Amino acid sequence: MEHKSSIKVNNLNLHIDKQHILKDINLSIPENKITVILGPSGCGKTTLLKCFNRLTDLNEKVKIDGEVIINNENIFTSKTDISLIRKNMGFLSQRPYPLPMSIYDNIAYGLRISGRRKKKYLNKRVEHYLRQANIWDEVKDRLKDPASCLSIGQQQRLCLARGLAVDPEFILADEPTSALDPISSQAIEEKFMQLKQHYTIVLVTHILRQARRIADYVVFMYMGEVIEHGEAQEFFENPKMEKTKAYLKGYYN
Amino acid sequence: MNIHLNKHKKIVNSVRFFLDLLWGIPSIVYGAFGFSVMIYFGIRTSLLAGIITVTLFIIPIIIRAIDEVLKTVPTGLLEASLSLGATKSETAYKVFLKQCFPGVITVVLLSFGRAIGDAASVLFTTGFTDSIPTSLNQPATTLPLSIFFQLSSPVPEVKNRAFASAVVLTVIILIISVISRFLVRKYKKHNIKF
Ligand SMILES: Nc1ncnc2c1ncn2[C@@H]1O[C@H](COP(=O)(O)OP(=O)(O)O)[C@@H](O)[C@H]1O
Ligand SMILES: [Mg+2]
């Protein structure tokens, strides 16, 4: 089956100082699917994910060559509008970082910096996205409360809603369930299964079972290299590389 | 801000080291330094000289403590704001400063408390007087110093004034702590704890 690919990575190499972190990555990530980036800790999953919305810019020591092509444009050119790239990618980090403001303002923040200020419009959008992230019923009576009052599972859903509020095409999630309890984790996983109709989702995880549950497409990384990538079913039933087989048997955990 | 500081690691670290040194110097050394400068220029002890000395010794403390506060802001929080498409300056003003604000208030008020309670740095520079100064170039005294001098006086009236000074000092410190508690609580509720 041919995918129309929305993220394409060509010969991507990333160095931090003299360390070679990502080695010659070539990938294409299919549209409207959940792509899982799998691999043991420290293999470069987070770093690869941050390349997609150029959060790697924050570290001065990072040197990148190669291309990341999103919707037919290489994002590593000087012409790239970084804000626009980032708005197009909802980003969920390993642990939730709600902004230091109220629940309402957390969602409205992204809308306001995009220039939306009408009270009525904001109210409607905030409710819409909180519903989207299945958290509306829990917070509708305390929208003015600080976001830091929420439980960590609620905070992660709030961060999801906040990411969706800037109307992205992609969702990048870096081990979004690793700080959560099993119930909250399940809630996030189920949400992703629904969201993939409308979004292209890239999920980083080191939990094999989670990958088996929700992946449509799998990228297996080891020591900064992509060892193997392919359709989930094919990947799990018929791994081609020795390292993949060993990982699936649990040797690296 | 953090983003900027990370760029110039070497310079920043040497400035931090230098400020730490200044912080470690006892306030009486600042007093002695101020005094020798005053002798050099032939200036008499005055309120103004004292104010300058206290400012000099409190500045490294404030800068360095605020620096520590700023360092506690996690990168993940900045990344969260940036990944919503916010620019660096939007992130700095709307997220970074908001997260730091309670810590900065605490630092400023604590340093204020330290400055007002300090005696050694002004021992040489402001001189001593029993009366309230009416202009900046008259000698003056700080509350701890007046307690010290008045208490050692044999005259009971003067001694009583020492106790009065002590009460005033305590009340001022108390008010400062209450205000800082109030401000910090008001602004801290939005802060993310890590
Ligand atoms: N800021 C940094 N400075 C230096 N090395 C880093 C930095 N961030 C990540 N690394 C290195 O990059 C490698 C990959 O890290 P990361 O992408 O976080 O792995 P993963 O998310 O797969 O656990 C690790 O070896 C780590 O030590
Ligand atoms: Mg990681």
Side-chain angles (χ1 to χ4, degrees), chain B residues 15-16 18-27 30 53-69 103-104 106-116 118 121:
Chain B
V15 171
R16 279 188 181 136
F18 182 64
L19 289 175
D20 280 345
L21 275 184
L22 291 181
W23 186 330
I25 297 173
S27 57
Y30 283 93
T53 318
V54 170
T55 310
L56 276 182
F57 105 89
I58 215 77
I59 277 178
I61 297 182
I62 292 193
I63 294 180
R64 195 59 182 85
I66 287 180
D67 179 42
E68 285 299 318
V69 170
V104 172
T106 312
V107 165
V108 170
L109 290 176
L110 283 182
S111 322
F112 187 60
R114 173 146 184 210
I116 208 174
D118 187 70
S121 65

Side-chain angles (χ1 to χ4, degrees), chain B residues 28 31 45 119-128 142 145 148-149:
Chain B
I28 191 154
T45 57
S121 65
V122 288
L123 187 57
F124 301 127
T125 45
T126 41
F128 179 75
T142 62
L145 262 189
F148 175 74
F149 283 120

Side-chain angles (χ1 to χ4, degrees), chain A residues 16 19 21-22 39-48 59 61-62 94 174-175 204:
Chain A
I16 299 182
Q19 249 185 312
I21 308 281
L22 295 179
S41 300
C43 68
K45 306 183 295 295
T46 302
T47 312
L48 178 60
N59 188 339
K61 284 180 275 176
V62 169
Q94 209 158 343
D174 184 9
E175 307 190 16
V204 164

Side-chain angles (χ1 to χ4, degrees), chain B residues 119-146:
Chain B
S121 65
V122 288
L123 187 57
F124 301 127
T125 45
T126 41
F128 179 75
T129 170
D130 236 2
S131 52
I132 292 173
T134 51
S135 93
L136 278 178
N137 45 31
Q138 278 180 8
T141 188
T142 62
L143 287 164
L145 262 189
S146 68

Side-chain angles (χ1 to χ4, degrees), chain A residues 50 53 55 58 60 83 86-87 89 91 93 95-102 106 109-110 113 117 144-148 155 162-163 166, chain B residues 3 6-7 9 74-88 90-91 94-96 98-99 188-194:
Chain A
K50 284 183 179 172
N53 69 350
L55 277 182
L58 294 190
E60 286 286 307
S83 273
R86 289 183 180 150
K87 265 183 213 163
M89 310 255 163
F91 183 77
S93 50
R95 45 150 308 164
Y97 285 103
L99 303 169
M101 43 187 87
S102 70
N106 257 274
Y109 180 79
I113 56 181
R117 296 200 168 271
K144 293 282 171 243
D145 283 7
S148 52
Q155 287 183 8
R162 174 179 79 184
V166 288
Chain B
I3 303 167
N6 286 340
K7 273 187 206 167
K9 269 263 152 61
T75 328
L77 188 59
L78 306 180
E79 286 179 354
S81 166
L82 291 171
S83 60
L84 292 171
T87 60
K88 271 188 192 176
E90 280 164 339
T91 304
K94 295 183 182 153
V95 176
F96 188 79
K98 231 175 156 180
Q99 175 76 10
K188 200 159 197 158
K189 64 172 198 213
H190 283 304
N191 265 37
I192 322 294
K193 290 141 211 110
F194 297 99

